[in-house]
Amino acid sequence: MTAAIDAFEAPAELTPVRDAVAAFVRNHVASQARAWDEAEALAPDLGRRFADAGLSGIAVDEVQGGVGLSWLATAMAAGAVGEASGSAAVALALHECVLGCLADAGADASLGRALSDDQPWTWIDGTHDVQVIGRGPGGWRIRGRLALVPVGSAMVINVRDGAGVAAFAIDRGHPAVRIERRATCGLRALELSDVGIDGEVADALRIQGVDGDALATTRARLVALVAAAACGIGRGATLAAAAYAKTREQFGQPIAAFQAIAWKLADAATVLDAAWLSVLAAVRAIDAGRSAEIAAARAALASFGPAVRACSDALQIHGGYGYTTEFPIERMLRDARACELVGGGADVHKGAIARAIEARVG
Amino acid sequence: MIDFAPSEAARAVEGVARKLAAEVLAPAAEALDRDGGFPRVSLEEIAKARLLAVNLPQELGGRAAGVVAYSLAITELARGCAATTVAVCVSNMVAEVVNHFGTPAQRQLHVPQLAAGRHVVGAFALSEAAAGSDAGAMRTRARKTDRGWVLDGGKLWITSGSDAGLFVVWARTEDTPGTRGISAFLVPGDVAGLGRGKPEHKLGLRGSTTVALDFAGVEVPDDALLGERGRGFPVAMMALDGGRIGIASQALGIAGGALDAATQWARDRFGADVPQHVQWALADSATELEAARLLTLRAAWLKETGRPFSQAASMAKLTASERGFAICDRLLALMGEAAQRRGHPVERAFRDIRVTMIYEGTSEVQRVVLSRDIMRRFADDGGRT
Ligand SMILES: Cc1cc2nc3c(=O)[nH]c(=O)nc-3n(C[C@H](O)[C@H](O)[C@H](O)COP(=O)(O)OP(=O)(O)OC[C@H]3O[C@@H](n4cnc5c(N)ncnc54)[C@H](O)[C@@H]3O)c2cc1C
């Protein structure tokens, strides 16, 4: 990360975490991102590696077993990991949302399990697709189908419960859960799956105290963090393209000398910086405890499209090489486009922002 | 009066291609994309339908259907399978270049073979590792001997290079640098000393092989020289002018297929109550596609009627590839979870179409060439573009 493509200088107290993330990305992500994509699976101990690097529960209080920093620090981590692996960055975002939600709810047992798990967990908003349909001898009966959601070693699944919401921490092997792994365009190493849920879930797995507000809070965190990951993907692609453009020669000069190449880099740096500022606005609101739904939606809108554009331009700069899997750019393009699967589509975000503007003028 | 209607004959060829696309290419496309490989069987069917020589004389086994028919046929085939279609594009281009620049003997020998698919397909070997946009920087050499020529060097990214039975290969024959001193050769696929690399793994077009070629003392006879010695570069450039009509048509077909799938999705999902963000995406995509189609068919018509078409072909390729990618990207984002599944037509289209902005001259190269043309015309036409 250089100032030229990241307007934001980390505040002094975050310099250590920035350096830790950079080292983590260098040692654990960069060299493996391609293999994860090809295997369509992340490292089986990625959760452990996050934790060892101080990247587990980044915004969770130290007394609860977290790192005790902030969502700003979490976004920095998601962005930096995204520069090397979109799948790992989104996995980090999901895991951090799980930890934040469990910590907020005081669900210490589940939080302890999630913090010590070798694999990351995922957080799923299933309130449109899954509902509590009653009680049975074994606990809450829930039923529904989730399309293309990320599956972790366990999932915090939010479901509809009458007029309200309920959240459950469910292991992937739970008998009520049927997971059908799907191949996707991007974020292939995330375990995106169609998930059928039908059965009884023990009382102990219900996370008490998750209401509509808590759901909205975690949703905003996730949207902002996936936006941060997307910015990271775009940044990674742009930096790779800049490095390539300086060494690739055509017509007797480095292609970076052509305006057509240089300006693509300038455009990408500009829009990605703007997107990053909108991510910062969102995580600052989150850290300050303000409602962040709209700020997060804006961050998503500002990030997803420009990230795709930056990756596509980076691919173009790489010419024919960029189209091959020898270079990371084609993966980054796919991953950038797939961020919306987890972070929400433009239609959702634009709807929310428009409603907020209308509300503001009366 | 401007007549926008293709002839009956062109429509007939389009119909043949549409049928092949639906019955042969489309059913195989998903597995081909997933597993990679080379679409031999589909190409045999395409050869039987004489679509490997759409714009070549009948007496040489071609269809003599013209360039508009060619463009329409490629668009239809690409709706079925973009990867198979690029092999068809390149083979047609090779047949045309032999027909145009070859001696009567070369024409008689190679065009009927290409048309009938007896070479499987033809391949076009211009690019090298360090010479892509700047093809004139190529290093492959051909040395004159008593018996003919000896080729040494390497090519990169050669479409169908794994299976092609005939290659047009460009090599440096003179010591002059740059685009001068390059000659074109017809090299059979089974010649000694020709090494074919492993196909590249790619974002898309995974059913088309893209391979490196290695020439280690490859001997070819004197009559392998295509066109004049030292005048090979213009041969390549003229071939690519026509080729761009094919690539524009391919992009039209890929994006058109994505739009079909998105429209079907919109109907199934929303019925009569399609939200405006979906309506807008369909409307913009169809409008952009239509603009690209008109440019492409115009370029085809100019070439067919013997008029200068190079600029029109560049504009068509630039527009169809860039708008086509924008359309596929927009539709993928629009459909979200429904389309992000691997192998979904829109997902495959997104990956396949991206390369049309790169091969046969990148978008940047089209703009360089176009602006040069515009400036020249401005000067020639007394200050009008
Ligand atoms: C799937 C596939 C199939 C292919 N099939 C064939 C084939 O059958 N036969 C064949 O010969 N080749 C083939 N190619 C090669 C293709 O034609 C080249 O990739 C293409 O010409 C670009 O060259 P390059 O990749 O070396 O990129 P480079 O030339 O290195 O270009 C890199 C970037 O610099 C830009 N650039 C270069 N020069 C300028 C300039 N003057 N001004 C502004 N920008 C510039 C380019 O537009 C690009 O964005 C294929 C490539 C692919 C990916």
Side-chain angles (χ1 to χ4, degrees):
Chain A
M1 271 191 279
T2 65
I5 192 168
D6 180 3
F8 171 71
E9 290 292 329
E13 71 273 18
L14 293 186
T15 326
V17 71
R18 191 199 57 193
D19 295 344
V21 178
F24 174 75
V25 171
R26 243 188 344 267
N27 299 330
H28 292 279
V29 184
S31 58
Q32 302 200 42
R34 179 179 173 185
W36 291 338
D37 183 69
E38 286 175 357
E40 307 197 14
L42 290 163
D45 61 346
L46 188 66
R48 164 106 347 269
R49 294 192 202 181
F50 283 154
D52 290 348
L55 302 175
S56 190
I58 301 169
V60 171
D61 272 356
E62 281 169 289
V63 289
Q64 290 181 288
V67 182
L69 289 169
S70 58
W71 292 99
L72 168 57
T74 316
M76 282 170 50
V81 174
E83 288 184 26
S85 165
S87 291
V90 175
L92 181 136
L94 288 159
H95 191 57
E96 291 303 300
C97 286
V98 166
L99 298 171
C101 151
L102 294 173
D104 291 351
D108 290 344
S110 298
L111 179 60
R113 281 208 300 134
L115 279 168
S116 60
D117 200 328
D118 268 356
Q119 290 179 42
W121 290 22
T122 58
W123 185 89
I124 295 166
D125 178 3
T127 48
H128 291 292
D129 307 297
V130 187
Q131 55 179 316
V132 176
I133 54 171
R135 281 196 58 87
W140 301 96
R141 293 180 54 206
I142 59 176
R143 183 183 294 162
R145 267 196 79 73
L146 296 157
L148 229 49
V149 291
V151 170
S153 82
M155 295 158 278
V156 168
I157 304 183
N158 298 269
V159 308
R160 192 148 46 82
D161 182 9
V165 301
F168 297 91
I170 307 178
D171 279 354
R172 61 175 306 148
H174 191 284
V177 175
R178 209 179 50 259
I179 296 167
E180 294 165 67
R181 179 79 165 94
R182 297 290 180 224
T184 49
C185 181
L187 295 176
R188 287 184 185 170
L190 266 195
E191 211 173 317
L192 289 159
S193 308
D194 291 333
V195 176
I197 298 179
D198 193 0
E200 291 178 355
V201 182
D203 285 346
L205 300 183
R206 180 158 180 167
I207 306 163
Q208 297 301 329
V210 173
D211 56 9
D213 285 346
L215 174 74
T217 297
T218 309
R219 199 195 279 132
R221 288 173 185 163
L222 181 63
V223 171
L225 292 182
V226 178
C231 288
I233 297 170
R235 226 153 48 204
T238 304
L239 291 172
Y244 183 78
K246 280 168 68 178
T247 54
R248 174 70 173 173
E249 290 190 10
Q250 290 288 279
F251 302 100
Q253 53 184 322
I255 57 170
F258 295 117
Q259 280 182 326
I261 301 300
W263 288 27
K264 281 187 189 42
L265 298 173
D267 284 344
T270 304
V271 294
L272 289 172
D273 255 14
W276 189 247
L277 290 173
S278 71
V279 169
L280 292 181
V283 289
R284 290 221 160 98
I286 292 168
D287 282 328
R290 293 198 302 272
S291 153
E293 186 199 351
I294 301 308
R298 273 204 299 262
L301 269 187
S303 303
F304 295 160
V308 171
R309 176 70 199 263
C311 291
S312 180
D313 281 354
L315 194 154
Q316 189 69 17
I317 290 171
H318 281 76
Y321 289 106
Y323 198 63
T324 70
T325 58
E326 283 302 307
F327 285 77
I329 309 300
E330 62 86 28
R331 166 167 53 82
M332 292 171 150
L333 174 64
R334 289 187 282 105
D335 287 351
R337 194 18 104 213
C339 280
E340 284 166 333
L341 283 176
V342 181
D347 52 335
V348 175
H349 298 311
K350 286 193 192 183
I353 296 167
R355 280 193 301 279
I357 298 174
E358 287 160 20
R360 165 130 182 224
V361 295
Chain B
M1 254 286 279
I2 299 174
D3 183 1
F4 286 106
S7 68
E8 293 266 319
R11 284 290 182 211
V13 176
E14 181 186 39
V16 170
R18 179 176 301 169
K19 193 160 179 294
L20 268 176
E23 292 174 5
V24 180
L25 271 61
E30 194 181 333
L32 194 60
D33 174 59
R34 188 185 56 231
D35 305 334
F38 189 80
R40 279 237 182 194
V41 175
S42 298
L43 286 166
E44 275 167 25
E45 296 298 318
I46 289 167
K48 271 188 221 152
R50 284 184 300 147
L51 295 184
L52 291 183
V54 178
N55 185 35
L56 286 132
Q58 271 169 348
E59 61 274 20
L60 296 177
R63 262 192 179 267
V67 190
V68 171
Y70 173 65
S71 168
L72 294 172
I74 292 300
T75 301
E76 287 303 324
L77 292 177
R79 275 172 186 267
C81 175
T84 306
T85 304
V86 71
V88 177
C89 287
V90 175
S91 203
N92 269 283
M93 176 165 72
V94 166
E96 285 198 35
V97 82
V98 175
N99 188 51
H100 194 276
F101 292 97
T103 61
Q106 285 171 329
R107 277 207 293 271
Q108 286 296 341
L109 180 62
H110 294 297
V111 177
Q113 304 256 22
L114 284 164
R118 282 195 294 274
H119 281 311
V120 186
V121 286
F124 190 92
L126 178 68
S127 304
E128 299 182 2
S133 298
D134 184 12
M138 72 176 61
R139 299 214 185 103
T140 298
R141 292 207 143 266
R143 193 165 33 86
K144 185 81 194 76
T145 65
D146 305 341
R147 290 182 298 173
W149 298 88
V150 178
L151 277 67
D152 283 287
K155 296 287 171 181
L156 197 62
W157 297 307
I158 306 310
T159 295
S160 307
S162 58
D163 289 63
L166 182 70
F167 293 87
V168 187
V169 181
W170 278 265
R172 208 161 269 298
T173 50
E174 327 298 320
D175 287 330
T176 39
T179 58
R180 277 184 217 126
I182 290 170
S183 304
F185 295 90
L186 291 162
V187 179
D190 57 5
V191 76
L194 170 61
R196 307 177 189 230
K198 281 215 199 84
E200 306 280 350
H201 291 285
K202 308 191 292 295
L203 171 64
L205 230 54
R206 292 169 39 79
S208 160
T209 56
T210 310
V211 307
L213 300 177
D214 179 52
F215 297 86
V218 168
E219 287 188 48
V220 291
D222 274 323
D223 62 8
L225 182 69
L226 178 68
E228 281 174 55
R229 176 174 173 168
R231 298 276 306 147
F233 200 75
V235 172
M237 292 304 110
M238 279 187 65
L240 288 172
D241 279 344
R244 282 168 192 147
I245 295 172
I247 300 307
S249 309
Q250 182 200 24
L252 290 178
I254 301 172
L259 183 56
D260 289 350
T263 309
Q264 177 77 52
W265 166 81
R267 204 172 71 163
D268 294 347
R269 166 110 195 246
F270 303 108
D273 201 16
V274 180
Q276 277 196 337
H277 80 277
V278 177
Q279 293 181 358
W280 263 233
L282 298 181
D284 286 347
S285 299
T287 304
E288 290 166 11
L289 201 54
E290 189 58 22
R293 192 195 324 274
L294 289 173
L295 282 175
T296 306
L297 288 175
R298 177 158 180 280
W301 174 80
L302 288 171
K303 181 179 173 204
E304 183 165 317
T305 53
R307 295 170 165 89
F309 68 94
S310 161
Q311 187 186 48
S314 275
M315 288 179 173
K317 197 248 179 197
L318 180 63
T319 306
S321 63
E322 293 202 341
R323 288 301 92 211
F325 175 70
I327 289 168
C328 294
D329 183 42
R330 174 193 296 141
L331 298 176
L332 182 59
L334 174 77
M335 293 171 68
E337 162 272 314
Q340 291 259 5
R341 294 158 191 273
R342 194 141 14 115
H344 185 283
V346 175
E347 188 269 344
R348 180 154 47 85
F350 170 81
R351 289 185 289 107
D352 285 345
I353 202 167
R354 187 61 186 75
V355 74
T356 61
M357 289 161 64
I358 296 173
Y359 58 26
E360 304 213 3
T362 64
S363 289
E364 290 71 29
V365 166
Q366 306 305 328
R367 290 187 170 94
V368 167
V369 172
L370 281 169
S371 69
R372 207 181 284 149
D373 271 9
I374 294 161
M375 302 291 274
R376 191 181 306 128
R377 206 159 34 152
F378 185 82
D380 292 350
D381 271 5
R384 286 175 65 95
T385 55

Short mmCIF file of all heavy atoms in Angstrom, two decimals, chain A residues 251, chain B residues 134-139 141 171-183 230 233:
data_model
loop_
_atom_site.label_atom_id
_atom_site.label_comp_id
_atom_site.label_asym_id
_atom_site.label_seq_id
_atom_site.Cartn_x
_atom_site.Cartn_y
_atom_site.Cartn_z
N PHE A 251 6.85 -1.71 -28.82
CA PHE A 251 7.23 -0.55 -29.62
C PHE A 251 8.42 0.18 -28.99
O PHE A 251 8.46 1.41 -28.93
CB PHE A 251 6.04 0.41 -29.81
CG PHE A 251 4.85 -0.24 -30.46
CD1 PHE A 251 3.76 -0.68 -29.70
CD2 PHE A 251 4.82 -0.45 -31.84
CE1 PHE A 251 2.68 -1.30 -30.30
CE2 PHE A 251 3.73 -1.07 -32.44
CZ PHE A 251 2.67 -1.49 -31.67
N ASP B 134 3.05 -5.18 -30.81
CA ASP B 134 4.15 -4.81 -31.71
C ASP B 134 4.66 -6.05 -32.43
O ASP B 134 5.77 -6.53 -32.19
CB ASP B 134 5.26 -4.15 -30.88
CG ASP B 134 6.39 -3.65 -31.75
OD1 ASP B 134 6.22 -3.60 -33.00
OD2 ASP B 134 7.45 -3.30 -31.19
N ALA B 135 3.80 -6.58 -33.31
CA ALA B 135 4.16 -7.84 -33.98
C ALA B 135 5.42 -7.69 -34.82
O ALA B 135 6.14 -8.66 -35.08
CB ALA B 135 2.99 -8.33 -34.83
N GLY B 136 5.69 -6.46 -35.23
CA GLY B 136 6.87 -6.21 -36.06
C GLY B 136 8.17 -6.47 -35.31
O GLY B 136 9.25 -6.53 -35.93
N ALA B 137 8.09 -6.64 -33.99
CA ALA B 137 9.30 -6.92 -33.21
C ALA B 137 9.59 -8.42 -33.14
O ALA B 137 10.43 -8.85 -32.35
CB ALA B 137 9.14 -6.35 -31.80
N MET B 138 8.90 -9.20 -33.94
CA MET B 138 9.07 -10.66 -33.86
C MET B 138 10.52 -11.08 -34.11
O MET B 138 11.29 -10.41 -34.80
CB MET B 138 8.15 -11.36 -34.86
CG MET B 138 8.56 -11.22 -36.31
SD MET B 138 7.50 -12.16 -37.41
CE MET B 138 5.91 -11.43 -37.13
N ARG B 139 10.88 -12.22 -33.53
CA ARG B 139 12.25 -12.71 -33.65
C ARG B 139 12.35 -14.01 -34.43
O ARG B 139 13.45 -14.43 -34.79
CB ARG B 139 12.84 -12.93 -32.26
CG ARG B 139 12.89 -11.64 -31.46
CD ARG B 139 14.10 -11.59 -30.53
NE ARG B 139 13.99 -10.38 -29.72
CZ ARG B 139 13.60 -10.40 -28.44
NH1 ARG B 139 13.37 -11.54 -27.83
NH2 ARG B 139 13.49 -9.26 -27.77
N ARG B 141 12.83 -16.52 -37.15
CA ARG B 141 13.57 -16.29 -38.39
C ARG B 141 13.32 -17.40 -39.39
O ARG B 141 13.10 -18.54 -39.00
CB ARG B 141 15.09 -16.27 -38.12
CG ARG B 141 15.57 -15.12 -37.32
CD ARG B 141 17.04 -14.83 -37.65
NE ARG B 141 17.24 -13.40 -37.64
CZ ARG B 141 17.18 -12.63 -38.72
NH1 ARG B 141 16.97 -13.16 -39.92
NH2 ARG B 141 17.35 -11.33 -38.63
N ALA B 171 7.70 -14.87 -40.19
CA ALA B 171 9.09 -14.95 -39.73
C ALA B 171 9.92 -13.90 -40.45
O ALA B 171 9.58 -13.44 -41.55
CB ALA B 171 9.65 -16.34 -40.00
N ARG B 172 10.98 -13.54 -39.80
CA ARG B 172 11.88 -12.54 -40.34
C ARG B 172 12.78 -13.19 -41.39
O ARG B 172 13.43 -14.19 -41.10
CB ARG B 172 12.73 -12.04 -39.17
CG ARG B 172 13.24 -10.69 -39.25
CD ARG B 172 13.65 -10.18 -37.88
NE ARG B 172 12.55 -9.49 -37.22
CZ ARG B 172 11.98 -8.38 -37.70
NH1 ARG B 172 12.41 -7.82 -38.81
NH2 ARG B 172 10.98 -7.82 -37.06
N THR B 173 12.78 -12.66 -42.61
CA THR B 173 13.64 -13.24 -43.66
C THR B 173 14.76 -12.29 -44.06
O THR B 173 15.69 -12.70 -44.74
CB THR B 173 12.82 -13.60 -44.91
OG1 THR B 173 12.02 -12.47 -45.28
CG2 THR B 173 11.93 -14.80 -44.65
N GLU B 174 14.64 -11.04 -43.69
CA GLU B 174 15.68 -10.07 -44.07
C GLU B 174 16.23 -9.45 -42.79
O GLU B 174 15.65 -9.58 -41.72
CB GLU B 174 15.10 -8.96 -44.96
CG GLU B 174 13.98 -9.38 -45.89
CD GLU B 174 14.38 -10.44 -46.89
OE1 GLU B 174 15.51 -10.34 -47.42
OE2 GLU B 174 13.59 -11.38 -47.14
N ASP B 175 17.33 -8.73 -42.96
CA ASP B 175 17.94 -8.14 -41.77
C ASP B 175 17.36 -6.79 -41.39
O ASP B 175 17.68 -6.24 -40.35
CB ASP B 175 19.46 -8.02 -41.96
CG ASP B 175 20.10 -9.40 -41.88
OD1 ASP B 175 19.55 -10.25 -41.13
OD2 ASP B 175 21.11 -9.64 -42.56
N THR B 176 16.47 -6.27 -42.25
CA THR B 176 15.85 -4.98 -41.92
C THR B 176 14.98 -5.13 -40.67
O THR B 176 14.30 -6.12 -40.50
CB THR B 176 14.95 -4.50 -43.08
OG1 THR B 176 14.29 -5.64 -43.61
CG2 THR B 176 15.76 -3.82 -44.14
N PRO B 177 15.04 -4.12 -39.78
CA PRO B 177 14.28 -4.24 -38.53
C PRO B 177 12.81 -3.89 -38.73
O PRO B 177 12.41 -3.41 -39.78
CB PRO B 177 14.95 -3.22 -37.62
CG PRO B 177 15.48 -2.18 -38.56
CD PRO B 177 15.79 -2.87 -39.86
N GLY B 178 12.01 -4.13 -37.68
CA GLY B 178 10.61 -3.70 -37.66
C GLY B 178 9.76 -4.52 -38.61
O GLY B 178 9.99 -5.71 -38.82
N THR B 179 8.77 -3.85 -39.18
CA THR B 179 7.79 -4.58 -39.97
C THR B 179 8.30 -4.97 -41.35
O THR B 179 7.68 -5.76 -42.04
CB THR B 179 6.51 -3.74 -40.13
OG1 THR B 179 6.87 -2.51 -40.76
CG2 THR B 179 5.87 -3.44 -38.78
N ARG B 180 9.40 -4.38 -41.74
CA ARG B 180 9.96 -4.77 -43.04
C ARG B 180 10.78 -6.03 -42.89
O ARG B 180 11.31 -6.32 -41.82
CB ARG B 180 10.82 -3.66 -43.60
CG ARG B 180 9.94 -2.65 -44.29
CD ARG B 180 10.74 -1.57 -44.95
NE ARG B 180 10.00 -0.34 -44.77
CZ ARG B 180 10.49 0.76 -44.25
NH1 ARG B 180 11.75 0.82 -43.92
NH2 ARG B 180 9.73 1.81 -44.10
N GLY B 181 10.88 -6.77 -43.92
CA GLY B 181 11.73 -7.94 -43.87
C GLY B 181 11.08 -9.13 -43.21
O GLY B 181 11.75 -10.06 -42.75
N ILE B 182 9.75 -9.10 -43.15
CA ILE B 182 9.03 -10.25 -42.59
C ILE B 182 8.31 -10.95 -43.74
O ILE B 182 7.80 -10.31 -44.65
CB ILE B 182 8.02 -9.76 -41.53
CG1 ILE B 182 8.78 -9.28 -40.29
CG2 ILE B 182 7.03 -10.86 -41.16
CD1 ILE B 182 7.93 -8.57 -39.27
N SER B 183 8.30 -12.28 -43.70
CA SER B 183 7.60 -13.04 -44.73
C SER B 183 6.63 -14.01 -44.09
O SER B 183 6.77 -14.36 -42.91
CB SER B 183 8.60 -13.82 -45.59
OG SER B 183 9.56 -12.94 -46.14
N GLY B 230 9.60 -10.86 -47.88
CA GLY B 230 9.82 -9.55 -47.26
C GLY B 230 8.57 -8.68 -47.21
O GLY B 230 8.60 -7.58 -46.67
N PHE B 233 4.38 -8.65 -43.71
CA PHE B 233 3.65 -7.91 -42.68
C PHE B 233 2.31 -7.36 -43.17
O PHE B 233 1.29 -7.52 -42.51
CB PHE B 233 4.54 -6.81 -42.10
CG PHE B 233 4.05 -6.34 -40.76
CD1 PHE B 233 4.24 -7.13 -39.62
CD2 PHE B 233 3.37 -5.14 -40.62
CE1 PHE B 233 3.76 -6.72 -38.37
CE2 PHE B 233 2.90 -4.72 -39.38
CZ PHE B 233 3.09 -5.51 -38.26
#
